[in-house]
Amino acid sequence: MGKKGGALALFLLAGIVLGVYHGAEAWKAPVAVEGAQMALSEPTHETNYFADLQIDPAAHRVTGTLTVRFQPQDDRAYFHLYPNVFQSQADMGDPNWERILGKQREPGGMEIKQVRVNGKEAPVQVEGKTKTLLHVPIPAEKNAKPPHAEVEMRFKLQVPYNKGRLSYNDHAMWLGNWLPILAVKEKDGWRLDPYASIGDPFYSQVANYHLRVMLEEKYQLATSGVESVAVVTQSRPQRVTTYEIDAWNVRDLAMVVMDESYRKMSGKVGDTVVHTWSQEGDDAGTAERLHEVGQESLRYFSEQFGTYPYKEYDVVKTGGFFGGMEYPGIVFIQEDLFERSDPSGEAVVAHETAHQWFYALVGNDEVREAWLDESLSDYATMAYLTAAKRPGASFYIQMRKAQSQESLSYAGRGLTVWQSVEQFPDWNSYVNLVYGRGSTMLWELREAWGEERLHTLLRQYVKEHQYGLATGERFVSMLSQEAGTDAAPFIDYWLHLKQEKQEEAAAWLEKSKHE
């Protein structure tokens, strides 16, 4: 598909925004937005990760020690070992994996050694169909008030080659969902969901991270933490740089290692430093526009949904074919978006920036309620594009509305917006339902209520759940409360695809306008 004329296909793949812009004009400069005072992020959570890492980009390898201190909720703990889904014996031949990973790929995985619990060697087990769970027994401690556990493990990560979130190319290595991370325990038990081939099948709680990273000095580093205030030391004659980096109150930690071909543009939004990482040879105008959108959308969302608490935000060019992927304080942006003059890259950056609120600050179950963060983030993208008066905004909204209408055809197949990622048969159904249908529902609400009323509700939602976990049930409850009437018919029609509820949904929306 050429860069000029025709339709530019942009599929939204799980935090992964690609869409369709039919002959969209080049976008104008971002709308000016008043500056906001940002809150500083300080450690507030009792779970702490300490990682001592040695990174070898040439060998595509990370080795090190991870120590996790936390309050146990059971006589065991589970850690997700997501990289093991890419082992050589893994069955990844289904079309949904192929779409993300590509046909040319090399295996990888994580080896765990010498696990200790409170200083004593522990008989751990690697479990799950794809060996992506580490089962760690937690012995009871007498007189420990409150009970605590310290799990220490040595590991070796061989980074796979593919088109996904964890991979590398000749110039960079991007590490998404790579570090062992504690599973969530709910009142009904442990959530040990596998790494599914559709969506972002991740579910985690906020913690504090401290990293010590050793890296050859010719490489550069961007993480979920704050590199701009990191303690950096250099060793001679080894030519190794050691970084001491903190990331407070984040529900995951991602990292990109880059060679000397990378350049960064920097700016500031309130108290947050914004870096955009591109490469020599990238279109300078495109890189500048993506940098502007990263800053301006961060400012807009701060004003609309609550101040951004993290001190640094990195927008990083990576390889892969996933459009964009969100992590706290850092987002990965697919490489070809830095080489195109159309507005698709700007929509991707805005969408991933919106995820800093709807996923990073306000967590949710991305396995069973993927719509909650994706629909809210895509609605926020639409709101930003509209506020910025970008020529592509109208087309983007119409694209989502068309996907929403198409989604009604899935009702006869028993599919809904509100279902587990494992229930979607393919990426197209996931995109049309979770992105198109969910964001259009919120846009309809905006058109009935007005931006100010809807955004007041979203600000309250963020305030109530910041650093915590939200649920779809709670969001619907807040919607009902604001409307003054039970939102069930509206949700049934839009999210559960009950077409017989269309008139009731319209009546609810009309009534809610006057409450």
Side-chain angles (χ1 to χ4, degrees), residues 122-310:
V124 301
Q125 292 181 308
V126 176
E127 300 178 349
K129 183 178 179 181
T130 53
K131 307 299 183 184
T132 54
L133 290 170
L134 180 68
H135 177 175
V136 181
I138 306 293
E141 283 197 64
K142 295 180 180 179
N143 303 319
K145 296 181 180 180
H148 71 280
E150 180 176 289
V151 175
E152 178 184 312
M153 65 186 80
R154 292 179 58 199
F155 69 88
K156 179 173 72 174
L157 168 66
Q158 187 64 45
V159 178
Y161 176 77
N162 54 51
K163 293 182 177 294
R165 308 170 179 95
L166 176 63
S167 189
Y168 60 88
N169 59 22
D170 290 339
H171 301 284
M173 186 167 72
W174 49 101
L175 307 177
N177 306 102
W178 63 287
L179 199 64
I181 188 171
L182 280 165
V184 175
K185 186 184 182 188
E186 298 180 324
K187 62 181 180 180
D188 295 329
W190 289 97
R191 291 295 305 280
L192 306 178
D193 306 281
Y195 194 146
S197 60
I198 290 178
D200 298 339
F202 313 117
Y203 184 24
S204 58
Q205 294 173 313
V206 163
N208 304 314
Y209 287 78
H210 179 77
L211 307 180
R212 183 175 182 268
V213 181
M214 297 179 66
L215 184 65
E216 278 189 75
E217 66 179 13
K218 67 179 181 179
Y219 292 100
Q220 305 174 81
L221 190 65
T223 76
S224 293
V226 188
E227 298 82 57
S228 55
V229 296
V231 176
V232 179
T233 57
Q234 293 183 321
S235 302
R236 294 287 189 269
Q238 298 93 337
R239 296 186 178 276
V240 171
T241 301
T242 301
Y243 299 83
E244 298 269 354
I245 301 172
D246 290 321
W248 302 137
N249 307 324
V250 297
R251 64 187 67 254
D252 199 355
L253 186 134
M255 181 184 303
V256 183
V257 179
M258 300 159 283
D259 70 11
E260 295 166 310
S261 69
Y262 271 78
R263 302 286 183 268
K264 72 178 176 183
M265 288 177 281
S266 299
K268 203 165 187 184
V269 177
D271 290 322
T272 301
V273 176
V274 180
H275 300 305
T276 300
W277 297 83
S278 58
Q279 284 181 278
E280 293 176 319
D282 290 338
D283 182 81
T286 299
E288 180 63 34
R289 285 196 302 275
L290 297 186
H291 182 56
E292 290 174 351
V293 170
Q295 292 181 97
E296 294 298 332
S297 61
L298 192 78
R299 181 175 291 118
Y300 174 78
F301 298 142
S302 288
E303 293 180 341
Q304 298 300 313
F305 309 131
T307 55
Y308 188 66
Y310 303 128

Side-chain angles (χ1 to χ4, degrees), residues 4-5 54 103 105 114 116 166 190 206 283 294 385 393 490:
K4 296 180 180 178
Q54 298 82 46
K103 295 183 181 298
R105 55 180 183 257
Q114 297 181 346
R116 296 178 180 274
L166 176 63
W190 289 97
V206 163
D283 182 81
L385 299 180
F490 187 69

